Amino acid sequence: MKIEENVNVFPPRKHYVEVEPKFVEFTKSCRVLPATYFDEPNTIFFLKAKYLPGEKKTFPNGGFEVYGPEGSTHNFELDQVVVHPYSLRMMKYFSKTEGTVKDKVIKVMGNGGKRGRPRTKSEDYVKPAYVPTGGKKGRKRMSDEDRAIRDAKVAAKKVGGTGKKGRPRKQVL
């Protein structure tokens, strides 16, 4: 089983060539591997339906409808999907195939900034050490005179009220 890219169509697409017969024995809702996701074998796709040429208007040359990750539906041509080797109990298939060795990722975020943005400061920038100022943290304590004035205002408001929250009740005579 080999993967080739067809550049004669737009958009260019990958497809399987020289497929063994055991990889084309599809059953309803079996696990499949599209050619575009061959390098990501742990991505899970399940077969929804297989259409032969002329069987459905949306697939004039035939094709597959496949459930993708998170329940999304993907459409592929007939030569783009095979039965997943894991469902055929071939657990070591991807460690034996050639050309699937992936390069080690050196920088995950790419250009050094956060969330893919470019870095704002140079690579040589060193953050200065924290120097304590000796000042107090938080809000300053209220003086006794200010506290007495505030308490007098609060007490004046409560004299006319009923002591409950909300709209005051009407006095019935």
Side-chain angles (χ1 to χ4, degrees):
M1 177 168 51
K2 295 179 184 176
I3 296 179
E4 291 183 0
E5 188 165 357
N6 187 357
V7 293
N8 296 331
V9 294
F10 183 80
R13 64 179 184 89
K14 294 181 180 180
H15 62 278
Y16 290 105
V17 180
E18 301 174 14
V19 180
E20 298 171 25
K22 62 183 173 183
F23 289 110
V24 291
E25 296 174 4
F26 297 100
T27 59
K28 185 74 174 165
S29 71
C30 68
R31 187 171 174 188
V32 294
L33 181 63
T36 53
Y37 293 92
F38 185 80
D39 295 331
E40 305 166 16
N42 292 330
T43 307
I44 297 176
F45 290 92
F46 289 102
L47 181 66
K48 179 179 178 184
K50 178 182 178 180
Y51 299 107
L52 298 175
E55 193 173 328
K56 190 174 181 185
K57 288 192 317 188
T58 55
F59 294 98
N61 299 328
F64 290 98
E65 277 188 319
V66 174
Y67 289 122
E70 294 134 16
S72 58
T73 304
H74 299 262
N75 299 327
F76 295 101
E77 299 278 332
L78 282 173
D79 59 350
Q80 285 186 294
V81 177
V82 295
V83 176
H84 201 291
Y86 291 172
S87 64
L88 297 174
R89 304 193 193 285
M90 301 171 71
M91 299 302 170
K92 297 182 181 178
Y93 182 79
F94 292 101
S95 62
K96 293 179 181 178
T97 55
E98 297 177 15
T100 58
V101 177
K102 295 182 181 178
D103 296 331
K104 185 176 180 181
V105 177
I106 297 169
K107 286 187 176 181
V108 175
M109 296 307 287
N111 43 12
K114 289 186 178 180
R115 298 187 190 105
R117 294 188 298 259
R119 189 179 181 103
T120 55
K121 297 180 179 159
S122 67
E123 300 271 336
D124 302 333
Y125 176 76
V126 177
K127 188 175 180 180
Y130 174 72
V131 178
T133 58
K136 302 256 183 187
K137 292 183 181 179
R139 191 172 178 172
K140 290 184 180 178
R141 187 174 173 91
M142 186 182 281
S143 67
D144 292 335
E145 298 101 24
D146 293 337
R147 183 177 301 278
I149 293 169
R150 187 195 66 187
D151 290 342
K153 287 181 182 177
V154 170
K157 285 184 180 179
K158 285 189 177 180
V159 171
T162 60
K164 295 183 179 179
K165 295 181 180 178
R167 190 172 184 174
R169 294 176 58 183
K170 290 185 178 179
Q171 297 275 339
V172 179
L173 295 174

